[in-house]
Amino acid sequence: MKSKLAIAILLICVIGLSVKLFFLNQSYQSLLTSLIDDEADLNAVYLNDQLIGSEYLTDYEGQHYIALDLLTQYIDDTVTLSNSGQRIYVDLSEIAFNIDNEVVRAYLEDNMSAINVPLVYNEDRAYLSLETLCRLYAYRYVYFEETGALLLYNETTNVGVGMLQQGVTKYKALPNGFARYGEAGVSETVYMLSSANDYVSALDATGHLIYLKEKVQTTPVAFEPQVTYDPVKPSSNEPISLTWEAIEQFSQNFSKLKTPFEAGINVVSPTWFNLNVNGILINSAELSYVRSAHENGVKVWGLVKNNFDPDWTHDLLTNEIDQRYAIAQLLFYSAFYELDGINFDFENMYLEDQTAFADFIANASEMLQAADLTVSIDVTRPGGSDQWSKVYDRTRLGQSVDYVCLMAYDEFWGSSPLSGPVASLPWTEESIQMTLNEIPASKILLGVPQYMRVWEETKNSRGTYVKTGSKAITMNGLTQLKDDKSLEIQWDSASEQYYAEYYENDKKYRVWIEDETSMQSRLNLVETYELPGIAAWRRGYSSDSMDVFLSKWLNE
């Protein structure tokens, strides 16, 4: 009897102790859970299966940018910062970006040492586009919106992807152990990282670092192959409507993107590549700009200019190694940024370099066309000064390139001693006729201005108005001027375009108008001389009505 009582008492004690231990454990687990710091996962960056820290990632104009020090510490310590601090130089031997064309690839290997890519700054810290980093070094990434965490990985990673069963317990690591963190939801994706004692670390679907006790069947994280872009050439059934996009600084790409591409253009040529010393081309290109243009049916011909510096140009044209380096860079950037063509805008050169320039363009065109790129060049009308118009051997240039953009402006330039139209119709037609003596019509794109000048004239001692200044205005600027000054528009038979004048503070102001009427006259010349299209200076200068007008012409 006593033994039964003892057993009962012992049983009661065991049960009581178990209950107490249960509640103590629950309290302990609650305490542990309360110590979990969710914010520790915010903005965390994982390189392959290792956490390397936080605050390496920032957003700029809606895109992800990665800190330059992450690149130099963990991926490529050979990169160098430019003197201006605005870009980095990357050694070609460190780049994993692949170019399929064997001829182009061999040319790059023989002639190019490094490329440069732009940076942005946030609180004095330099950042590189995440997309650019991944393309250069063959990385892929997973970005977790909820936490801002980033998983960055290459083809050698051990990261696996699995699916958690609903209700599986997630744990968090604490200094003195592990705490229950939560349970998996329905079909929750998890990225498995590495083992730690009896636990396996992973990133859950929201980017939180968790630990699991249960085994999870995984497959290697997807490593999609590099997408190769095939340049698109203009269709022979559609006229070309090119517009140049003035981009002097890398950051301007994003402000330009905020304006949708106009329906009246099918080629855009952003001013992205600028000649520097030793054949270096300063790069300001942006891939998202190109892809946005392509989504809108617009081809992209990256513009390369000579900085309008005759000495740097002479140095380039007298150094074959620098020339080949410049060409190699254009080949690489065209592939990397998915361009459809290259537009050469070399101006202000020495007449003595005329033959060397024609040789350079011939060599560049041969390589660029071998990469299926469309090559074009900008020239003035024949005649003029030694350093501007006479530097072009138009016959040879026309033989080398696919298109020649005839810059049929400025008849009267900003500092001209006389007032006059930017490009009267008779002068424009004469420019075409002169150019046709050296270049076939099938290659000439007629350059058209989408701006005009308001000329200021002041009376001299004889009572005659003489030009004292000028200001360029856009087509939208003309609309504002009409409203502000109540302009009376009249036809000017000499220029064959509309004209207006007004008086203010004893001064006379005159403007020869660029509008749909003057544009139609130019399009008539394109048709008359069977030219393939137009090239407009520049995007942002036209008006809404002009965009509609050009769209109708392009699609008629």
Side-chain angles (χ1 to χ4, degrees):
M1 184 72 177
K2 288 182 180 180
S3 62
K4 290 184 178 180
L5 178 60
I7 292 173
I9 292 172
L10 180 60
L11 184 59
I12 291 171
C13 290
V14 169
I15 293 172
L17 181 60
S18 297
V19 171
K20 186 175 182 179
L21 289 173
F22 172 78
F23 284 107
L24 284 174
N25 183 62
Q26 290 294 98
S27 298
Y28 179 66
Q29 288 297 330
S30 296
L31 176 61
L32 289 179
T33 301
S34 69
L35 296 176
I36 294 173
D37 181 12
D38 271 344
E39 292 188 0
D41 293 330
L42 300 183
N43 306 312
V45 175
Y46 300 84
L47 187 61
N48 287 316
D49 58 355
Q50 297 297 315
L51 172 64
I52 61 172
S54 60
E55 308 305 327
Y56 281 107
L57 194 65
T58 190
D59 281 349
Y60 180 81
E61 296 291 347
Q63 297 186 40
H64 301 309
Y65 275 70
I66 201 82
L68 176 59
D69 48 302
L70 180 148
L71 170 62
T72 56
Q73 289 179 40
Y74 297 99
I75 298 176
D76 183 3
D77 62 2
T78 69
V79 301
T80 57
L81 192 65
S82 68
N83 291 333
S84 67
Q86 297 304 306
R87 50 193 29 85
I88 55 171
Y89 287 88
V90 181
D91 193 297
L92 183 63
S93 64
E94 302 294 328
I95 295 172
F97 181 77
N98 183 51
I99 293 178
D100 292 338
N101 189 308
E102 292 184 8
V103 174
V104 172
R105 190 165 61 248
Y107 192 91
L108 296 184
E109 292 172 354
D110 290 342
N111 298 290
M112 190 172 79
S113 57
I115 53 98
N116 62 88
V117 293
L119 302 171
V120 301
Y121 279 82
N122 183 6
E123 297 182 354
D124 297 326
R125 192 179 189 186
Y127 289 84
L128 172 73
S129 162
L130 178 59
E131 179 74 22
T132 297
L133 182 147
C134 289
R135 285 171 68 80
L136 283 176
Y137 297 99
Y139 273 80
R140 305 294 182 263
Y141 69 90
V142 179
Y143 179 73
F144 301 89
E145 292 284 349
E146 183 171 318
T147 57
L150 178 75
L151 172 61
L152 185 64
Y153 62 95
N154 60 16
E155 201 167 15
T156 66
T157 187
N158 293 318
V159 175
V161 179
M163 198 75 70
L164 294 184
Q165 293 183 359
Q166 185 175 3
V168 168
T169 302
K170 304 177 185 179
Y171 295 89
K172 276 286 190 180
L174 296 175
N176 296 319
F178 291 86
R180 294 176 184 271
Y181 177 63
E183 294 182 349
V186 178
S187 302
E188 182 175 343
T189 300
V190 66
Y191 296 87
M192 308 301 295
L193 302 178
S194 58
S195 299
N197 299 323
D198 295 329
Y199 295 83
V200 178
S201 64
L203 294 176
D204 70 7
T206 61
H208 285 286
L209 178 62
I210 61 170
Y211 291 83
L212 302 168
K213 282 187 175 181
E214 300 184 29
K215 289 185 177 180
V216 178
Q217 187 158 357
T218 64
T219 57
V221 65
F223 192 87
E224 301 297 336
Q226 171 188 306
V227 176
T228 300
Y229 177 77
D230 294 322
V232 177
K233 292 184 176 293
S235 168
S236 59
N237 299 322
E238 181 182 33
I240 293 174
S241 180
L242 177 150
T243 186
W244 285 287
E245 177 90 273
I247 296 177
E248 301 303 325
Q249 296 179 348
F250 174 69
S251 60
Q252 292 176 331
N253 285 292
F254 303 98
S255 59
K256 303 293 186 181
L257 274 174
K258 292 176 182 176
T259 301
F261 286 95
E262 297 80 3
I265 64 174
N266 57 13
V267 179
V268 65
S269 183
T271 60
W272 274 341
F273 309 115
N274 200 7
L275 178 66
N276 202 275
V277 296
N278 302 323
I280 296 171
L281 300 180
I282 299 301
N283 165 31
S284 297
E286 167 54 31
L287 184 60
S288 65
Y289 179 103
V290 178
R291 289 180 172 172
S292 178
H294 288 165
E295 288 170 2
N296 287 273
V298 178
K299 291 172 279 293
V300 183
W301 298 353
L303 182 145
V304 53
K305 62 182 179 180
N306 63 331
N307 204 41
F308 299 167
D309 187 311
D311 293 320
W312 285 4
T313 307
H314 177 76
D315 290 343
L316 174 74
L317 297 177
T318 53
N319 188 313
E320 184 179 351
I321 294 176
D322 287 353
Q323 290 179 53
R324 293 172 70 86
Y325 180 32
I327 295 168
Q329 290 169 84
L330 289 177
L331 289 167
F332 180 87
Y333 294 137
S334 295
F336 190 81
Y337 293 107
E338 302 180 351
L339 304 183
D340 302 290
I342 290 293
N343 174 244
F344 286 94
D345 186 25
F346 277 48
E347 303 179 42
N348 191 24
M349 297 180 286
Y350 295 127
L351 183 58
E352 65 185 90
D353 290 326
Q354 184 194 70
T355 299
F357 178 61
D359 291 340
F360 170 66
I361 294 299
N363 293 331
S365 295
E366 180 180 1
M367 289 307 305
L368 294 167
Q369 289 164 343
D372 293 327
L373 294 159
T374 301
V375 182
S376 61
I377 190 169
D378 309 332
V379 303
T380 59
R381 80 182 217 151
S385 67
D386 287 353
Q387 204 154 315
W388 287 94
S389 295
K390 293 181 181 178
V391 296
Y392 303 113
D393 183 340
R394 291 170 180 78
T395 299
R396 285 197 61 204
L397 294 174
Q399 292 170 348
S400 299
V401 303
D402 298 296
Y403 297 100
V404 175
C405 302
L406 170 59
M407 297 182 289
Y409 48 79
D410 292 308
E411 180 181 1
F412 291 85
W413 57 101
S415 58
S416 167
L418 300 174
S419 304
V422 169
S424 67
L425 190 66
W427 183 86
T428 300
E429 184 167 17
E430 182 184 57
S431 300
I432 296 172
Q433 293 169 342
M434 295 168 69
T435 305
L436 283 171
N437 292 327
E438 303 175 79
I439 300 170
S442 61
K443 291 193 173 187
I444 299 174
L445 298 177
L446 177 60
V448 297
Q450 293 184 324
Y451 63 95
M452 62 220 81
R453 290 191 170 87
V454 178
W455 301 90
E456 178 189 87
E457 298 183 349
T458 305
K459 277 186 180 180
N460 60 18
S461 58
R462 296 186 298 276
T464 302
Y465 282 99
V466 294
K467 180 254 177 176
T468 53
S470 70
K471 179 180 71 173
I473 62 171
T474 67
M475 291 181 170
N476 280 327
L478 174 65
T479 301
Q480 186 65 47
L481 186 67
K482 287 179 179 179
D483 294 339
D484 292 344
K485 307 301 180 184
S486 301
L487 296 183
E488 293 186 11
I489 309 299
Q490 54 186 298
W491 181 254
D492 177 41
S493 57
S495 64
E496 297 185 38
Q497 63 190 120
Y498 286 109
Y499 165 86
E501 61 183 45
Y502 64 95
Y503 296 83
E504 191 172 86
N505 299 326
D506 296 326
K507 293 183 178 180
K508 181 179 181 180
Y509 294 88
R510 312 173 71 190
V511 56
W512 280 263
I513 293 171
E514 295 295 338
D515 58 5
E516 289 82 355
T517 299
S518 62
M519 183 63 76
Q520 182 61 65
S521 297
R522 289 178 169 82
L523 296 179
N524 291 342
L525 291 176
V526 167
E527 183 176 354
T528 298
Y529 291 97
E530 298 182 342
L531 309 184
I534 61 172
W537 180 262
R538 65 178 174 82
R539 186 166 182 244
Y541 279 7
S542 66
S543 61
D544 291 343
S545 59
M546 177 60 72
D547 295 336
V548 172
F549 176 83
L550 287 176
S551 177
K552 290 180 178 178
W553 165 73
L554 192 59
N555 296 292
E556 66 184 7

